[in-house]
Amino acid sequence: MKRYMSAVILGGAVILGGCSTTDETPTPDTAQTETATTGSPDAHGHHNHDTDGAAVPEAMVPADNPTYPVGSTVRLNTAHMEGMQGAEARIVGAYRTYAYAVDYIPTTGGEEVRDHKWVVQEEILDAEPDRIPDGTEVTLLADHMDGMERARATVVGSTDETVYVVDYDMDGMTMHNHMWVVESEIEPLS
């Protein structure tokens, strides 16, 4: 019982500290946001992902013949969240879209979040199908972090690389359905 309560308390602390996730195993068309939590190592704060049950946007188009197909095991070469850099991950979704780095001020108040990576085209209100130019102000539909949904943002960078949803292990815990990692942030296991 003590071990169970310790796990519950530790799990609660982790959830309060960062990215929450769901335990559902997604398919490429229904990947869900994360259910475990961590803090972000960078200046743009922590991911929250407490959108249990929130699916990949309906308009997302699966990638044709992605470099890393669903089910592939890869190594992450990015640090969106603590513990990601160098982590082994499993691809659970691969999509064709534009991904954007954005600066925004949370709707909940606080300091500006700078260079948040990534928000996809389908998570931007009234986005046209064309790539959004850097410097454009947009309204976010994504809720990756507290205060992100409906925040006004400025696009500060973009890519047309394949975007992936991944599961990865961190400190003995599996982070399910992390959205988004772009192709250049992934490398094959060697």
Side-chain angles (χ1 to χ4, degrees), residues 18 28 38 46 61 79 86 100 114 118 120 126 157 182 186:
T38 65
H46 67 282
V61 176
Y100 300 94
R114 299 188 61 79
W118 298 98
V120 295
D126 298 328
V182 298
I186 298 173

Side-chain angles (χ1 to χ4, degrees), residues 74-171:
V74 298
R75 185 154 326 277
L76 300 177
N77 189 20
T78 187
H80 297 178
M81 294 173 45
E82 186 177 327
M84 282 185 90
Q85 184 68 47
E88 190 172 304
R90 184 174 65 83
I91 303 295
V92 296
Y95 300 92
R96 181 172 36 103
T97 189
Y98 296 111
Y100 300 94
V102 295
D103 292 347
Y104 71 95
I105 296 175
T107 60
T108 53
E111 293 183 25
E112 181 179 34
V113 176
R114 299 188 61 79
D115 200 32
H116 174 83
K117 294 180 182 170
W118 298 98
V119 176
V120 295
Q121 185 93 359
E122 295 77 6
E123 294 174 317
I124 295 175
L125 182 66
D126 298 328
E128 298 293 329
D130 298 326
R131 189 178 201 156
I132 300 169
D134 290 1
T136 303
E137 285 197 18
V138 297
T139 300
L140 303 176
L141 298 176
D143 57 357
H144 303 174
M145 297 170 56
D146 282 335
M148 185 176 221
E149 187 172 16
R150 296 292 177 174
R152 292 293 297 162
T154 302
V155 172
V156 295
S158 64
T159 182
D160 61 357
E161 298 172 66
T162 300
V163 297
Y164 295 90
V165 179
V166 297
D167 290 349
Y168 69 97
D169 293 326
M170 185 192 93
D171 296 332

Side-chain angles (χ1 to χ4, degrees), residues 23-69:
D23 290 328
E24 298 176 40
T25 302
T27 63
D29 293 327
T30 61
Q32 304 294 309
T33 57
E34 295 176 86
T35 56
T37 65
T38 65
S40 174
D42 55 36
H44 64 252
H46 67 282
H47 286 267
N48 186 23
H49 289 293
D50 53 354
T51 56
D52 294 340
V56 167
E58 285 184 28
M60 297 292 293
V61 176
D64 297 327
N65 199 20
T67 302
Y68 305 104

Side-chain angles (χ1 to χ4, degrees), residues 168-184:
Y168 69 97
D169 293 326
M170 185 192 93
D171 296 332
M173 193 180 341
T174 299
M175 305 299 287
H176 292 281
N177 314 313
H178 176 78
M179 291 188 246
W180 306 97
V181 179
V182 298
E183 192 156 306
S184 62

